[in-house]
Structures are given as C-alpha cells and as structure tokens.
Amino acid sequence: MKQRTPRRSKGEQRARALLEQTASASGESFFPALVRGLAQALGTRFAVVAMVRGEDELECLAFWDGKRVTRGARYRLSETPCGVAAAEGYCELNDGVPAKYPNAAMLIELGVRGYVGHAIHSQDGRLLGVLVAMHDAPLPASARDRALLQSSATRAGLELAQMRSSAALEASEALTRGILESMRDAILVVRTDGTVAFHNGAACELFQTDAHGLSRASISQLLPDLERAAAELGEGDAAETYRRRANLELAAALKSGETVHVAVTIGVFRLAGEELRTVVLRNIERRRREEQRLRGYARALERANSDLERARRKAERAAAAKTEFLANMSHEIRTPMTAILGFTDILMEDGGVATATERLEALRTIRRNGAYLLEILNDILDFSKIEANRLEIESLPCSPRRIVSDVAELLRPRAADKGIALKLDLDAQVPERLLSDPVRLRQILLNLIGNAVKFTSAGHVAIRLRFDSLDQTLEIDVEDTGIGIAPDVLAQIFEPFRQGDSSMTRRFGGTGLGLAITKRLVERLGGAITATSVVSGGSTFRVRLPAQSAEGDASDDPDTPSTGGFRAALRELRAHGKVLVVEDGPDNQRVIRHVLERAGYEVSVAENGLVGVELALAAADEGTPFVVVLMDVQMPVLDGYAATRQLRDHGYTAPIIALTAHALPSERQRCIEAGCDAFATKPIERLALLETIAQHTSKAAGG
Ligand code: ADP
C-alpha cells in the first residue's frame, strides 16, 4: 500500500463508519476500534493512540499496523513528531519523517514517511496522550482529516480520563480494602436502622461467623448493650456519643451464644446523604482475665501487706509494752523487796522492835510481801507457759459454787478493809458438781474478783453464777462499782502488759498480766470473756465456760480444800514419827524442818538424793524406818526422780512425797512414775503439806 487510496469519494463514508464504530465501543474495546477506524477513515497504513507515562515517555494503548492491533510498546516523546503534537496540540508532516527523526527507530523500521498527530487533553487541559495516523507514503492531510483527527482526539480524551479515574478508583478501593482487611480490629459500618452495611474479616473472626451471617445481623444482636451505654455516656443522647467518637467496654454476643468482652470505639460519617456509624471492636477478654488475675494478686498483696503492717504494729506494741512491763515489773518487785529487806533489818537490829505485837506486825508485813512476790512470779510463769502453749488443762469434777465461795472468802477481808460489800448470787440451777479445771477456774475468779476489789473504792462487788443447762454453759459475772475503764483502754485490756495507764500502776500496782492470763485461761477452757464498763460507773466482766454437769461422778474431789477444810484437817493431824527431808537448799531445809517439828515430827535432813537413799535404807534396815520421805525433785548429785527410783528398786515401800515447784499434771505424772505416792508444792504451803503427809502416813499405817 505505497499509494494513499483516493478517499474523497469515500471520505465521508469512512468518517461516519469511524464515528459509529467508536460510538458503540467503550472501555477496553474503545482504543482498538479508534485506531482501526482512524486508519480507515484517513486511508493511512498505521494509527496509534498513546498515553503519557512519564516526563518523556508514551505508551501505546492501541497500535494498528494495517493487519492487527497491538498495545504496550513504549517510546520517547522527544524522538518522534509526537513531541511536537504534544507540545503544540497538532503536528503534520507530509513526508520525510525518517530524515527529520533519525532516532525514531520504530518509525524508521515501519517505513513511515507521512505523519499527522493530535494531542489528547483532559477536559481541564492536562496532556493525556496523542492520537496519530501515519503512512508509508506521503500524507497530505485535508481539513476534513484534521477535523476528524481533532474530534477523535477529543473523544479519546474523554475515554482516557474515564479510564484513568476508574483505575484510580479501583486502586483506592483496593487500598481501603487492604487497610481494612489487614487490621486486627473488627470493623462494622452500621446503618441507622441497625443493619450491618459493611464489615471486615476481623469482624467475622471476632463474632465467629461468616460474611453472610454478619451482613444479616443487626448491631443490637451483636452488641446488646451498645445503645444503652452510648445513651448513658451521652446523657441521654446516643448520637452525641457517636459524634464524640467515644470508647466503651461492652460484651459482644458470639454466634455460639457465648459473650466476650470488647473495647469499642464508635463514630459516625455521612455517605451519599445517609448517616453511617462505625463500630471498631477489639477483643479484650484475655486482657480482662489478666487484669482480673492481677487485681487478685494486688488484693492478696494488699492483704499480705496490711497483715504484715498489723503484725509489725503489734510487734512494736508488744515490744513497747514489754519494755514498759519490765519497768513496771522491776518497780513491782522492788516494792515488796524493799519491805521484806527493810523489816528483816529491823528485826535483826538490837531493839529494832520493842514489843511482841510490833514483831508480829513486822513478820506479817514480810509474809504479805513475800506472798505478793510469789504472785507476781506465778503470773509471769503462767503467762510464759500460756505463750509457749505449755499450759495444761484438766477436766475434773469440781464444785463451782464452792470455788466461787472460797475465792470470795479469800478476798472478803480486802474488800472489808476498803469498806465495800462483796455480794454473792449463786443460782440454784448451778449443779453441785461440774467437769472443769478447778485450779484454772479459781485463778480466773481470783483475777477478776481481785481486780474488782482493787479498782473499787465505794459500793460493791457482786459475783453472779448461773448455769445454762441447755448448752451446758457456766456463766460468771463479776460486777463492780469502781473506777470503770475508758473505751479505748477497754479495747486493749486483754492484751498482755496492758494497764489502764501508767499512773494506774503507781496507784494500784499490778503487772498488767492478770487479764491477759485470764482471757487465755478462759479460752483454753473453751470459753469466752467479755467486759463492759462505764468510766466512774463500774465494770462487769462476764465469763462463759462450757462445763458438763458431773452430777453422780463418784471420783474424789480434787478441789483445793476450803479454808474451813484446812482447819478441820489440821485438827485431825496426829503428827508423830520420823520424817526424812531430802532437800538441797539450807533455807528450805530450815523452813520445812521448822514446820514439821512444830507439827510433832522428828526430822532428819539429807542434802541430796544419794544421801537420802542411804539414810532411808539404813533407817529401814535398823528397824527404825521413816514414816515418810519428802523428796525434792531438783537436786545436785542425784535428783529426786532417780533417788525415788533407786529406793523403790531396793524394795523401799514407805510413802515418798515429791516436793516440786511445778504443779503441772505432766510433772505430777513424772513423780508418780518414778515411784512417789504424792507431791506437795514449793514454796511450802504449811497446811497442805501437813495434810498430805497425814493422808499418806495414815494410809501406810492402815494398809
Ligand atoms: P493488773 O495486774 O495491772 O491489774 P490486769 O491485766 O489484771 O493487770 O488489768 C489490766 C488493767 O485493766 C488494769 O491495770 C486496769 O487499768 C484495768 N482493769 C482491770 N479490771 C478492772 C476493773 N474491775 N475496774 C477498772 N479497771 C480494771
């Protein structure tokens, strides 16, 4: 096709054909139709539509070579007449293209000689590309050709703009999709009627459902509390909460029926006149569980901390109280000591006491103070035993009425001295005999009644005893009309070493251990103690103790004999015979010898267990046996246990009575196991000792 075909005859026809072909084409098919139609209409061999790619590059969207359409080739704008067409809007070269554009390899190869090209612009005048017709022979373009080219370029401009914008749209859609799908947060877009307009994949994962399930769900199913929470947060205006892009924490309802906790951010936007709400959700179930666990730890830590703090404060209080206690104690011990030593000096002085009455008074003072010292010592020992959990409790038949009466009688002189009445109210319901620990019961009563008398200067001290047969409980009230106890002191009164205040100690004396011991004793007996008090109005201490009735129990009454009992026992004592006292302390030897000799016994003394064994066996051998051996337990050379055992091993059968400072049942047990018949306590209680000896010597004589 060297010669351009005459076209005037067919020109119009072809132009119409071009219009028709391109009119029906669009999108992908438009550019191939355009180049083919253009070549036909202008009668050229080649036609090209190319798009601007970069600064100096064009890319063929469609290239017609006379047989077919190809695309994709790229070439330089400046190396071809297209550069002129692009810059000036139009370029026409009748002939001689190779000479003018020696670098346009493609044109030379194709054998192009004539060229006519038109720039393609967007509606806003941006250069989009070029539309070109080329021929392998000279190409004289007519005005009609130019018009056709121009109108085709305009049309191509529209198509190209369209193509570009839809590509851009596609790209931006892909971008949006990519962003939304790559997110870990679940995203829902919700219409005003609550239906889900859009969701991402994370939303399907969160709600454990598929796209179909989500698109049919309504937000009120997925987040049942959302609207209420949004309304609450917006103070009745949920829309406001959406506008504020609020954060909420809610329960999301899964397809399985389970719920998980989610953190939700809500928002709102308008699209094509419609208001849409965004709901972005993140599963915080794990975080919540973690938080709960941490809160648990934190609480446990706080508890442990406050326990520690309490323990620390308690220890501090205890330490402070102990220091105070030691100070009190040394004061407490010094006071009776001063009296004892002072009066002893007076007695030893020549003419220190003038009359027998004065002498007796001095001795009474020494005795009273000695007894008080012993009381202090016992308190301390008791308390340390309780603290070390070594206090032994017994359950024996005993008469609570008698114990109460005895203690009351013991303290009555003290009360009478102060001019206060000591009233007893013993309910008839109280059984004659109950199972309890008589020694401890006595100790409790002594403390409470002793305190009541101590802290009362006018009025009365009343002791009431009742028995609740339903729950087998003994109830003891000790009521006084004394100074009373301030509420803050009352709260600490059962703590060891606590006294009302330090001025109290100076006024009333005492170690501050009494109530601490009492409380622990009551508790060890299975009971409880409470105190109520009115400052200046008096106090009431109430003890409730479980105590089974022992009515009909035939066992011996181990109660300490009442004062009356002692006297009767003493009257009946017919003391005679030889007694061996095995005791290492010279002072104790003297005291015991004195007591026994006054009672009518003949006394031999051995200074340790070994000597004791020898003397006892020798006397028996000589046919002048001792009626009883009093055996101290702790001694040098051979202690009381071993000495007793040796005697028994030698067939010694006379009574042996152990002397021990410890009145513990375990201690008694040890003595009995060693072979003793009984025991008496140190310091020596005269009457009790004589009674015990009398009991065993008469038994031995009778049996
Ligand atoms: P103390 O040996 O010092 O009496 P307690 O433990 O028996 O020790 O008593 C502690 C403190 O409780 C006393 O110092 C006193 O302040 C107060 N108290 C105890 N009983 C009474 C009471 N009946 N009336 C007033 N105060 C009392």
Side-chain angles (χ1 to χ4, degrees):
M1 214 195 317
K2 287 271 174 212
Q3 202 58 48
R4 203 175 169 218
T5 46
R7 54 197 162 83
R8 278 191 174 39
S9 50
K10 293 184 182 166
E12 218 157 313
Q13 234 177 324
R14 283 183 178 149
R16 196 168 294 123
L18 169 63
L19 277 175
E20 276 166 11
Q21 273 177 37
T22 53
S24 61
S26 70
E28 287 287 293
S29 63
F30 171 75
F31 295 109
L34 176 68
V35 286
R36 210 168 23 218
L38 185 71
Q40 253 174 32
L42 298 191
T44 59
R45 171 124 186 233
F46 311 111
V48 179
V49 59
M51 182 172 72
V52 172
R53 261 296 170 197
E55 188 71 350
D56 185 32
E57 196 176 43
L58 288 169
E59 179 188 335
C60 286
L61 292 175
F63 170 59
W64 171 253
D65 65 1
K67 291 193 187 99
R68 55 198 172 96
V69 177
T70 56
R71 60 173 296 169
R74 292 182 179 219
Y75 58 95
R76 291 205 166 285
L77 199 56
S78 55
E79 287 174 356
T80 69
C82 291
V84 180
E88 288 167 17
Y90 179 74
C91 175
E92 187 184 318
L93 273 173
N94 217 329
D95 200 357
V97 169
K100 225 166 165 191
Y101 294 96
N103 291 330
M106 202 171 77
L107 301 188
I108 291 166
E109 197 181 309
L110 290 171
V112 170
R113 288 177 57 192
Y115 174 100
V116 56
H118 204 289
I120 303 172
H121 286 114
S122 65
Q123 273 179 309
D124 57 4
R126 266 180 314 121
L127 178 71
L128 299 178
V130 288
L131 179 64
V132 178
M134 300 179 293
H135 202 51
D136 49 1
L139 172 59
S142 64
R144 183 193 290 267
D145 291 343
R146 279 197 291 274
L148 193 65
L149 191 64
Q150 189 186 0
S151 66
S152 298
T154 306
R155 174 76 207 283
L158 291 174
E159 278 299 328
L160 206 54
Q162 170 100 42
M163 196 182 87
R164 281 206 163 177
S165 76
S166 63
L169 194 65
E170 251 171 50
S172 99
E173 263 178 15
L175 178 72
T176 313
R177 261 273 141 209
I179 291 170
L180 295 178
E181 289 307 323
S182 67
M183 274 177 46
R184 210 180 70 182
D185 291 342
I187 297 170
L188 300 174
V189 177
V190 184
R191 299 184 191 93
T192 34
D193 65 1
T195 54
V196 175
F198 169 86
H199 66 267
N200 66 354
C204 291
E205 276 168 39
L206 176 75
F207 288 99
Q208 297 177 354
T209 183
D210 54 12
H212 182 63
L214 263 191
S215 56
R216 287 193 325 172
S218 93
I219 191 69
S220 61
Q221 293 169 318
L222 301 171
L223 293 170
D225 297 331
L226 175 61
E227 274 319 292
R228 187 188 48 73
E232 237 168 56
L233 207 62
E235 288 170 358
D237 186 0
E240 169 59 19
T241 310
Y242 279 93
R243 276 195 294 279
R244 264 182 19 220
R245 288 183 281 212
N247 293 313
L248 303 162
E249 281 193 14
L250 297 168
L254 308 189
K255 197 182 171 202
S256 60
E258 276 177 82
T259 56
V260 291
H261 282 93
V262 285
V264 179
T265 307
I266 54 178
V268 65
F269 67 101
R270 291 191 80 81
L271 185 71
E274 190 185 355
E275 187 179 272
L276 294 170
R277 291 171 167 188
T278 46
V279 180
V280 181
L281 311 99
R282 177 170 291 189
N283 188 336
I284 54 164
E285 195 61 33
R286 265 221 347 241
R287 192 188 83 195
R288 258 178 71 104
R289 272 205 294 272
E290 206 64 17
E291 278 172 0
Q292 259 164 7
R293 232 182 47 205
L294 280 176
R295 267 200 293 276
Y297 285 148
R299 269 199 299 274
L301 260 177
E302 266 166 30
R303 265 200 304 276
N305 254 344
S306 70
D307 284 355
L308 267 176
E309 180 57 24
R310 247 201 310 281
R312 192 182 64 82
R313 272 204 296 264
K314 199 169 160 193
E316 265 174 17
R317 270 207 306 276
K322 272 183 187 159
T323 313
E324 200 180 314
F325 165 74
L326 283 179
N328 284 347
M329 203 51 76
S330 69
H331 171 260
E332 276 307 295
I333 292 171
R334 257 168 229 277
T335 313
M337 274 311 223
T338 311
I340 292 170
L341 296 174
F343 275 97
T344 316
D345 284 345
I346 291 171
L347 285 174
M348 280 163 63
E349 246 172 59
D350 257 353
V353 282
T355 66
T357 330
E358 272 178 11
R359 189 168 156 272
L360 197 65
E361 192 49 45
L363 286 169
R364 282 215 182 97
T365 309
I366 293 174
R367 195 180 192 295
R368 195 173 57 243
N369 282 284
Y372 181 52
L373 271 180
L374 187 64
E375 209 179 287
I376 295 176
L377 200 63
N378 282 340
D379 264 7
I380 297 174
L381 286 178
D382 259 350
F383 186 72
S384 65
K385 257 183 256 161
I386 293 173
E387 290 290 271
N389 227 343
R390 275 184 21 230
L391 190 84
E392 293 174 50
I393 295 291
E394 293 183 296
S395 177
L396 300 169
C398 56
S399 163
R401 293 155 156 281
R402 212 170 99 190
I403 296 173
V404 170
S405 305
D406 278 355
V407 174
E409 288 321 305
L410 206 68
L411 294 169
R412 198 176 289 286
R414 214 184 282 176
D417 276 355
K418 299 182 78 179
I420 48 180
L422 196 61
K423 300 183 194 166
L424 279 189
D425 172 6
L426 310 180
D427 195 290
Q429 299 287 309
V430 181
E432 203 36 60
R433 292 160 77 77
L434 288 171
L435 281 181
S436 188
D437 187 323
V439 174
R440 299 307 174 192
L441 194 53
R442 200 178 137 85
Q443 203 175 348
I444 291 166
L445 285 163
L446 257 175
N447 267 329
L448 294 180
I449 305 171
N451 274 348
V453 171
K454 183 157 97 175
F455 294 107
T456 304
S457 52
H460 68 260
V461 169
I463 304 136
R464 278 185 297 273
L465 190 63
R466 271 186 298 274
F467 185 69
D468 185 341
S469 55
L470 213 65
D471 52 7
Q472 301 265 299
T473 305
L474 188 65
E475 191 177 276
I476 308 161
D477 280 356
V478 178
E479 179 200 277
D480 66 51
T481 55
I483 60 169
I485 305 163
D488 56 326
V489 178
L490 194 62
Q492 305 186 343
I493 206 144
F494 295 110
E495 282 181 32
F497 315 124
R498 276 293 147 192
Q499 292 182 310
D501 59 52
S502 16
S503 66
M504 197 75 96
T505 324
R506 245 146 273 147
R507 253 172 75 202
F508 296 99
T511 57
L513 280 177
L515 286 180
I517 293 174
T518 303
K519 177 171 194 271
R520 283 159 175 78
L521 289 177
V522 169
E523 283 167 357
R524 285 297 308 274
L525 290 173
I529 183 168
T530 51
T532 51
S533 190
V534 175
V535 175
S536 306
S539 317
T540 302
F541 286 80
R542 170 168 291 182
V543 173
R544 288 175 63 85
L545 292 173
Q548 255 179 313
S549 168
E551 235 46 278
D553 192 310
S555 58
D556 282 345
D557 188 351
D559 285 1
T560 334
S562 67
T563 329
F566 271 130
R567 295 218 179 89
L570 189 56
R571 271 199 303 277
E572 279 170 27
L573 287 179
R574 266 182 289 278
H576 54 79
K578 292 201 312 170
V579 177
L580 176 61
V581 178
V582 189
E583 158 71 58
D584 61 320
D587 289 345
N588 280 343
Q589 287 172 359
R590 254 200 310 277
V591 172
I592 299 169
R593 178 194 285 278
H594 176 80
V595 169
L596 294 180
E597 284 179 352
R598 282 287 295 270
Y601 292 104
E602 195 185 313
V603 179
S604 300
V605 172
E607 68 272 25
N608 63 48
L610 196 63
V611 178
V613 171
E614 280 164 10
L615 286 184
L617 291 178
D621 281 351
E622 286 161 14
T624 54
F626 293 104
V627 291
V628 70
V629 176
L630 294 187
M631 183 72 81
D632 186 21
V633 171
Q634 275 171 335
M635 281 182 297
V637 188
L638 192 67
D639 70 18
Y641 305 115
T644 305
R645 238 176 270 121
Q646 283 192 11
L647 282 173
R648 296 301 185 212
D649 289 348
H650 281 90
Y652 190 86
T653 52
I656 301 177
I657 297 172
L659 292 175
T660 167
H662 317 288
L664 295 177
S666 60
E667 190 63 34
R668 291 183 218 168
Q669 191 58 33
R670 240 184 116 186
C671 294
I672 303 299
E673 274 167 14
C676 293
D677 299 273
F679 65 92
T681 51
K682 280 168 74 177
I684 299 303
E685 280 180 50
R686 205 146 49 113
L687 294 178
L689 176 66
L690 292 177
E691 198 186 38
T692 310
I693 295 173
Q695 249 177 34
H696 286 273
T697 50
S698 65
K699 229 189 249 174

